[in-house]
Amino acid sequence: MLGSGSRRTARQRRRLRSARAEASDRVARLEDEKRDLERKLEREHTNGPAHGDHSGDRLVAGSDERR
């Protein structure tokens, strides 16, 4: 009787350990993705529209285009 309780507890501990490891991996991947996106945003911000990329947002009120 005592043996089955300890096996059940050990199984539960393994399951919890596995769930914590998966959550930790998921957080690490999300942090890496966040860092990559921040670097990309910083590169785009420093480069600006000088490279001819005018596909982003633009100020319509000051536009030279007339209707």
Side-chain angles (χ1 to χ4, degrees):
M1 191 78 149
L2 188 62
S4 65
S6 65
R7 283 193 298 266
R8 191 178 318 125
T9 303
R11 186 172 48 232
Q12 192 174 21
R13 276 197 311 263
R14 280 193 304 270
R15 229 180 295 148
L16 286 172
R17 192 178 324 126
S18 174
R20 267 184 269 150
E22 287 175 13
S24 178
D25 289 345
R26 203 169 23 250
V27 167
R29 280 194 308 270
L30 288 171
E31 287 174 343
D32 286 344
E33 184 179 354
K34 179 184 173 190
R35 275 192 295 274
D36 291 343
L37 290 172
E38 286 173 340
R39 281 189 216 114
K40 181 180 177 186
L41 183 63
E42 184 62 33
R43 279 194 308 268
E44 289 175 358
H45 179 69
T46 57
N47 290 342
H51 294 282
D53 182 18
H54 298 289
S55 62
D57 294 336
R58 60 184 177 159
L59 182 62
V60 177
S63 175
D64 290 339
E65 297 176 21
R66 304 285 182 207
R67 288 187 187 186

